[in-house]
């Protein structure tokens, strides 16, 4: 959340309207774990925040139950996609990854970019939409005369039968068949009355056929409307190299790691077997490889920079940092079976299904069937004290400005998702608890 917090901090510091006391907000990107400790030492668990280093903190993850202080509040400030950034020389297409494939890559069980699972995710597939038949009016009858229509591949056959009495009554009359398309009416056949006769007519789009005897209508026939089967290709086949995969994780304790590992654990628990953690090594389901296939770097900046410089590497990072370096980010298959790229709008579609509880903590719905939802997202919390003080009142003002003014204006351009609606209202209720006791 550092990039958007820097933007909002700068705006707040300059605003005489939002910040009439000219308070100065500064924010250091040190990782969620360090930030939470800086707000209140682990040794201070169960006590009020001691402001060891920071007057407030920012994190995408919550305190553990054994290290949390009291007298503070979580305020969801911003959302956004966690992108899967990669560097794969010679591959210009945006790659696609299912959650299963992604989990195996980050667990170290898929080690080559041309692994069969990755190839399968990046191979076009045929989807057949079956033919659909909409029934028409296949038969009309009146006074012993019956007309039926049967549709063929390119033509339809109209067959007319009549009882002996109807034939006798209609001997001096003409049977007329007309084709009607919109307002255009055309006589296609005139028959003499007999016990049976047939007419072949072309299958014209939108056509119906009127049958009359001696100027009196028997009825209107409409052939079945057949929509033929359609075969379409979904996805795109991408040729992938045999390059070794280098997995890059955060070396610091990180809320982004926590959110990413939580996603893997929730959607692929058989692969990502451990519960989430701010430390990647603690959340990792196996033993971290030491053969160079796994690397680490500090912060969203560090992992993104590593991927930018190293072919074959892959990492997880806030979209803002991926975009800054012009890195590619994979499309991820969501629970609706659609591969979706990490975008602000796709993140918003996913977070629309998230729930914020009375403490401000957010639970995401990783199995939402929303077709446009990107499935890997983070919600960043501002963490501040409830005790009344001058500093806490300043933080309260900044958080309100962040939610109401800065995020709606600047979040999307920086790769983040501003909160809105009922979710925003709950966050503002959390802000009201700061410096209020």
């Amino acid at each position: 959340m550092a990039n958007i917090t820097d933007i909002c901090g700068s705006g707040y510091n300059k605003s005489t309207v939002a910040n009439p006391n000219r308070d100065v907000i500064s924010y250091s990107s040190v990782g969620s774990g360090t930030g939470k400790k800086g707000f209140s030492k682990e040794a201070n668990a169960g006590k009020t925040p001691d402001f060891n280093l920071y007057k407030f903190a920012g994190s995408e993850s919550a305190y553990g139950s054994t290290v949390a202080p009291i007298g503070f509040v979580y305020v969801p400030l911003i959302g956004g996609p966690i992108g899967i950034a990669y560097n794969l020389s010679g591959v210009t297409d945006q790659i696609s990854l299912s959650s299963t494939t992604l989990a195996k890559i980050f667990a170290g069980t898929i080690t080559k970019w041309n692994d069969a699972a990755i190839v399968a995710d990046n191979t076009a597939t045929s989807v057949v939409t079956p033919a659909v038949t909409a029934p028409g009016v296949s038969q009309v009858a009146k006074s012993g005369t019956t007309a039926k229509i049967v549709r063929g591949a390119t033509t339809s056959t109209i067959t007319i039968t009549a009882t002996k009495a109807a034939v006798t009554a209609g001997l001096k009359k003409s049977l007329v068949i007309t084709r009607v398309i919109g307002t255009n009416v055309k006589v296609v056949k005139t028959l003499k009355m007999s016990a049976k006769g047939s007419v072949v007519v072309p299958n014209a789009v939108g056509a119906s056929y009127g049958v009359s005897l001696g100027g009196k209508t028997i009825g209107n026939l409409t052939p079945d409307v057949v929509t033929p089967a359609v075969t379409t290709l979904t996805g795109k086949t991408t040729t992938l190299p045999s390059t070794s995969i280098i997995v890059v994780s955060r070396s610091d304790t990180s809320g982004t790691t926590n959110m990413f590992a939580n996603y893997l654990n929730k959607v692929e628990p058989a692969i990502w077997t451990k519960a989430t953690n701010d430390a990647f090594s603690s959340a990792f389901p196996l033993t971290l490889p030491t053969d160079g296939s796994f690397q680490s770097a500090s912060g969203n900046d560090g992992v993104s920079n590593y991927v930018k410089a190293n072919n074959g590497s892959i990492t997880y990072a806030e979209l803002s940092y991926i975009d800054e370096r012009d890195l590619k980010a994979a499309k991820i298959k969501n629970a609706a079976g659609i591969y979706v790229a990490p975008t602000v709008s796709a993140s918003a579609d996913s977070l629309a299904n998230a729930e914020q509880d009375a403490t401000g903590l957010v639970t995401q719905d990783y199995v939402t069937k929303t077709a446009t939802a990107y499935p890997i997202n983070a919600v960043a919390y501002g963490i501040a004290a409830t005790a009344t003080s001058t500093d806490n009142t300043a933080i309260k003002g900044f958080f309100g400005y962040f939610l109401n003014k800065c995020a709606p204006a600047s979040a999307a351009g920086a790769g983040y998702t501003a909160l809105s609606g009922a979710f925003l209202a709950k966050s503002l209720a959390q802000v009201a608890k700061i410096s209020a006791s």
Side-chain angles (χ1 to χ4, degrees):
M1 65 180 289
N3 280 351
I4 186 64
T5 305
D6 287 343
I7 292 170
C8 292
S10 175
Y12 185 72
N13 292 342
K14 295 174 183 177
S15 175
T16 57
V17 175
N19 182 16
N21 294 328
R22 311 303 293 151
D23 298 314
V24 177
I25 297 293
S26 61
Y27 184 79
S28 299
S29 179
V30 295
S32 293
T34 299
K36 287 181 290 188
K37 288 181 182 179
F39 178 71
S40 188
K41 292 180 181 177
E42 288 190 12
N44 199 49
K47 302 177 183 177
T48 56
D50 57 4
F51 304 120
N52 178 37
L53 290 174
Y54 309 127
K55 300 297 183 184
F56 73 95
S59 176
E60 292 165 355
S61 62
Y63 280 104
S65 59
T66 61
V67 297
I70 60 173
F72 77 100
V73 64
Y74 293 110
V75 180
L77 291 175
I78 199 73
I82 298 174
I84 305 303
Y86 63 94
N87 181 341
L88 197 52
S89 180
V91 177
T92 56
D93 295 333
Q94 185 179 25
I95 67 167
S96 299
L97 297 171
S98 67
S99 59
T100 301
T101 303
L102 182 66
K104 289 180 177 180
I105 290 172
F106 278 87
T109 58
I110 290 178
T111 60
K112 296 286 186 180
W113 277 105
N114 66 344
D115 184 275
I118 303 178
V119 170
D121 288 344
N122 292 276
T123 300
T125 57
S126 297
V127 177
V128 178
T129 303
V132 177
T133 300
V137 178
S138 61
Q139 177 175 310
V140 292
K142 189 175 183 179
S143 301
T145 302
T146 301
K148 295 181 180 179
I149 189 167
V150 177
R151 183 187 178 98
T154 60
T155 60
S156 294
T157 300
I158 298 174
T159 302
I160 299 173
T161 58
T163 63
K164 185 176 180 180
V167 171
T168 301
L171 282 177
K172 295 182 180 181
K173 300 175 183 177
S174 295
L175 270 168
V176 179
I177 299 173
T178 56
R179 183 178 66 200
V180 180
I181 301 177
T183 58
N184 184 16
V185 180
K186 180 180 180 180
V187 175
V188 294
K189 194 74 174 180
T190 300
L191 304 171
K192 288 186 176 181
M193 191 63 175
S194 63
K196 186 175 182 180
S198 64
V199 177
V200 176
V201 294
N203 289 336
V205 176
S208 63
Y209 294 89
V211 181
S212 62
L213 177 63
K216 294 183 178 181
T217 300
I218 294 173
N220 292 298
L221 299 168
T222 305
D224 294 344
V225 178
V226 179
T227 302
V230 178
T231 300
T232 56
L233 285 178
T234 61
K236 184 177 182 181
T237 297
T238 299
T239 301
L240 297 163
S242 60
T243 308
S244 295
I245 296 173
I246 304 171
V247 175
V248 188
S249 64
R250 292 280 290 268
S251 59
D252 52 330
T253 48
S254 156
T256 308
T257 294
N258 191 299
M259 291 292 97
F260 177 57
N262 192 51
Y263 163 78
L264 294 177
N265 175 250
K266 292 294 189 291
V267 301
E268 297 293 343
I271 301 168
W272 205 266
T273 54
K274 286 188 180 179
T276 193
N277 195 285
D278 283 0
F280 185 82
S281 58
S282 297
F284 191 74
L286 304 168
T287 300
L288 275 171
T290 57
D291 59 359
S293 61
F294 275 66
Q295 299 292 324
S296 63
S298 180
N300 281 290
D301 276 313
V303 294
S304 300
N305 288 337
Y306 187 99
V307 170
K308 181 72 173 177
N310 291 274
N311 182 41
S313 57
I314 186 170
T315 194
Y316 54 92
E318 291 179 9
L319 181 62
S320 179
Y321 295 84
I322 295 171
D323 287 346
E324 280 181 343
R325 290 152 183 82
D326 198 28
L327 291 169
K328 288 185 173 66
K331 294 180 180 179
I332 304 299
K333 191 175 186 179
N334 64 21
I338 309 298
Y339 290 98
V340 179
T343 64
V344 170
S345 61
S347 173
D349 288 344
S350 180
L351 292 175
N353 299 286
E355 295 290 338
Q356 182 181 162
D357 68 20
T359 69
L361 294 177
V362 175
T363 301
Q364 295 188 48
D365 180 3
Y366 294 120
V367 294
T368 175
K369 298 294 186 180
T370 303
T372 54
Y374 177 76
I376 315 174
N377 300 280
V379 173
Y381 304 104
I383 300 174
T386 57
T388 301
S389 73
T390 300
D391 286 340
N392 291 340
T393 298
I395 294 162
K396 184 176 190 174
F398 172 57
F399 283 7
Y401 168 82
F402 192 121
L403 289 165
N404 285 320
K405 300 294 183 182
C406 179
S410 303
Y416 295 92
T417 304
L419 307 183
S420 61
F423 204 98
L424 172 60
K426 289 182 178 181
S427 288
L428 291 171
Q430 293 295 101
V431 173
K433 298 174 184 178
I434 301 170
S435 196
S437 63

